[in-house]
Each structure stands twice: as C-alpha cells, then as structure tokens.
Amino acid sequence: MDIINLFLLVLLALGIVGDNSTVSIAVAILLLFRLLHFDKAFPFLEQYGLQVGIVILPIGVLSPLASGKIKPESILHIFTSWQTILAVAIGILVAYLGGKGASLMMSNPLIVTGILAGTIIGVTIFRGVPVGPLIAAGILAFILQFVPK
C-alpha cells in the first residue's frame, strides 16, 4: 500500500475517532481522488483550496445578517458594553492572525500537516472543537518571526 494512502487512512481514522467530520470528509475526498487517480485535481486544490474555504467561511458567518436574523439595531449595540468591545478587538486580532496563518500555510505545506495533526489530537484527546487551523498557523507565524532562522 502507498505510504501516503496509509497516512490518509490514519488521518481519516483519527478524524472519525475524534468526531471531526470536517477533517474526515476532507481526507475521505482526497483519498478517493488518489484511489481514482484524479491527480489533475490536486494542483487546483493546492492553489485555490484555501482561498475557496476562506470565502465560504464568511458566507456562513454573515448569512444570519443577510437573512435578517440579525437586526440592524443589534449591530449598533456592539459598542455599548466592554464585553462586546472586547469581542470586536479579539475579532480584529483573530483576523490579523488568520491572515498571517494563511500566508504561512500557503508558503509551507508541511505546517498544514502539523497543524492538522495537532487539531485532530486536540479534538480526540482533549475533547476540543475542530476550529482555528488558520489561527493556529497565525500564532505559529507570530512566534516564528521572533525565532532566528
């Protein structure tokens, strides 16, 4: 058996055991592409996959606003308490770190594997929630800027 297929199977198993359907579905699709020899898809996925995912995420986050579930007057109340002001500040920080993480992940694919492994371990062992690989990469990028090369 191909070592990459074996590694993907291990990731699939960890995704299933860790109840991480996002990782499980992604790995299953990639494994299926490999088994069906649909190699033409990989350059496209490598080049545009992260960007497509980054576009889809805000669509999901902004859909309650677009559908009218979030009322305009609710938006005005954002700046009325220290908790919501802090939430805005943390949102800014997370967006900044996400941008740094996206750059790092695109420039160093091995980082993606490490972050994915860490996410799966965090979900499986520590009962975490499988969110934030971009933020994890952003935190790593922030730390790496202080480490001599």
Side-chain angles (χ1 to χ4, degrees), residues 44-147:
F44 176 82
L45 292 172
E46 290 170 18
Q47 186 172 2
Y48 299 110
L50 185 59
Q51 293 167 332
V52 170
I54 290 172
V55 169
I56 291 172
L57 184 61
I59 290 171
V61 171
L62 292 172
S63 62
L65 178 64
S67 70
K69 288 184 181 176
I70 296 176
K71 304 293 181 212
E73 56 271 7
S74 298
I75 297 169
L76 297 175
H77 293 300
I78 289 174
F79 300 103
T80 59
S81 74
W82 69 268
Q83 293 97 334
T84 53
I85 293 170
L86 184 59
V88 169
I90 290 172
I92 292 168
L93 176 65
V94 167
Y96 170 77
L97 289 174
K100 293 288 186 189
S103 298
L104 181 64
M105 290 171 75
M106 287 181 181
S107 67
N108 191 341
L110 190 56
I111 294 290
V112 177
T113 308
I115 289 171
L116 183 61
T119 299
I120 292 170
I121 291 167
V123 169
T124 306
I125 296 174
F126 300 107
R127 308 313 293 160
V129 179
V131 296
L134 279 175
I135 305 311
I139 293 169
L140 179 60
F142 180 78
I143 292 168
L144 291 178
Q145 76 181 358
F146 299 107
V147 177

Side-chain angles (χ1 to χ4, degrees), residues 1-12 27 113 116-117:
M1 177 180 271
D2 184 322
I3 190 74
I4 295 173
N5 289 349
L6 184 60
F7 184 70
L8 287 171
L9 282 171
V10 169
L11 286 176
L12 179 62
V27 171
T113 308
L116 183 61

